[in-house]
Amino acid sequence: MFNWFTPKRETWLFRVNPALKFIVFFAFLIITLVNQSVPFAISQAVLYGIVFYVFSGYSLKKLSILSIPLVISFLSTGLTMLLFGKGEAVLWQWGLFKISEESIQHALLLGSKSLSFGFVGFTFILTIQPVLFFYAMMQQFRLPSKYAYSFIAAFRLIPAVTEELQIRRNALKVRNIQFSKGIKGLYERLQSYTVPLFAQSIRRAQRIAVAMEAKQYQMGAARTYYYPTRYNGMDRVFLLVMIGSLCSAFLLSVYL
Amino acid sequence: MKKLKFTDLLVTIMIGVVFGVLMKFWDDLYTVVKPIMPVARQLLYGMWFMVGPFAFLLLRKPGTAFIASLAGASLSAFAGHGIEVLMYGFAQGLAAELLFAAFRYRRYSILIAGLAGIASCLASFGLDLIYGYAALETWALIVKYGLRTISAFIFTGIFAVFIVRALEATGVTSLIRPVDKKEYTLLDQ
């Protein structure tokens, strides 16, 4: 599973400080979120598409597999908006379905936004190491170490959680548990999975916290880091390239 | 105000992460239901609001709803749901946290937990408005968000409170909850 996420080549994006990369991407996606202009939304989607397909350093085969959910979300969000979106200038109507000029615009806006989010999200995940991301957040952006280490510890426990979920699923199957129908069955299902899972995870998390404190982990104390992270020249290049291309995407959308 | 100790923080984030894993599996169910039954799909939506209120009901300390919601969202974001999930987690967690704060963090009933879920639902509606999901015909808008509000109440109010009660029976909550005044007075006797 994790071997799958090794790139074919390490592009320049891999050398950018992970925390800086996150902050820049996040800020850019807020622009995507609040933007209401259709041409700008489309030009942003194209820009982030280029970043994803050219600079993530993964083979075309893997990139096309990753594109499947993006296409699905583009179609499903776009289609809902196309058929049920509000609008006056009706082009086609059949029962509850109605396509109008406004709903086409809204569908394009929404579809492009979801593509932008997908491209940027995948580019970020594909080009960072989660642990180094948290170390960089502590060192470059002063995230308190208690949050960073809690996240790292909890993320390390994910395989244990998924394994327990699997065991629980098998155990219920072996005992041939039948759930009721409707909303009651939904609750029974939820309870039979969550209660053992949470009881175990809470005990485990509490033990880890006690162990860390026993080994003199102190919240808020000045500390050194096992993985030092810093800014380098690539960060300046990254900032310039991203801001430059967003500006040109904006200008293109205005003048085309 | 009871401040969060390191144990509380780690447990809170762990709850968020476990919810993130559960939501990943829930998402499979949701995706299957999505195209065939839009109504059922909205009724399952409350699961996404559950994490924050659930963490607060379990730990009963300020800040837990917001942090757990953010942790769950960041796991979802890492699991490939995209960074927009992080924005939703942020807004939903904040809304639930503010609602609990409005009751001075002293109420743990079904009603208050359900209201926290509805607050999260409203916050997600606000983000949907900005994003552009909400530009629907009025009837579709009312059906979609009406069902989602009902679902939010069922999941964060009724389901969360009952699951927390079941967890109380296992004894884990005594590890993590603040010690009650009553327990101190028992020591004095």
Side-chain angles (χ1 to χ4, degrees), chain A residues 184-205:
Chain A
K184 193 160 168 253
L186 199 63
Y187 174 73
E188 288 171 1
R189 202 161 283 145
L190 204 58
Q191 191 192 24
S192 58
Y193 283 104
T194 49
V195 171
L197 210 58
F198 276 113
Q200 262 324 84
S201 312
I202 290 167
R203 285 195 193 105
R204 199 177 282 133

Side-chain angles (χ1 to χ4, degrees), chain A residues 26 33 36 77 81 84-86 98 110 113-114 117 125 150-151 158 165 169 187 191 198 201-202 205 213, chain B residues 6 10 13 18-19 22 25 58 74-75 77-78 83-84 130-133 135-137 159 162 166 172:
Chain A
F26 196 80
L33 180 77
Q36 303 293 341
T77 51
M81 192 44 72
F84 301 110
K86 66 177 171 196
K98 185 179 82 179
L110 199 58
K113 279 186 180 183
S114 78
F117 273 98
I125 295 163
S150 298
F151 266 106
I158 292 172
L165 197 62
R169 183 181 282 174
Y187 174 73
Q191 191 192 24
F198 276 113
S201 312
I202 290 167
E213 281 179 333
Chain B
F6 182 61
L10 186 52
I13 289 175
V18 173
F19 254 103
L22 281 171
F25 284 92
L58 209 57
S74 51
L75 182 79
F78 269 109
I83 300 183
E84 78 255 46
I130 303 172
Y131 199 108
Y133 277 119
L136 297 167
E137 279 293 340
F159 286 4
F162 278 107
V172 285

Side-chain angles (χ1 to χ4, degrees), chain B residues 57 100 106-115 156-157 161 165:
Chain B
L57 289 174
F100 287 124
R106 288 212 188 108
R107 301 281 299 276
Y108 323 107
S109 63
I110 288 179
L111 182 68
I112 302 304
L115 283 180
T156 62
V161 169
R165 275 186 204 159

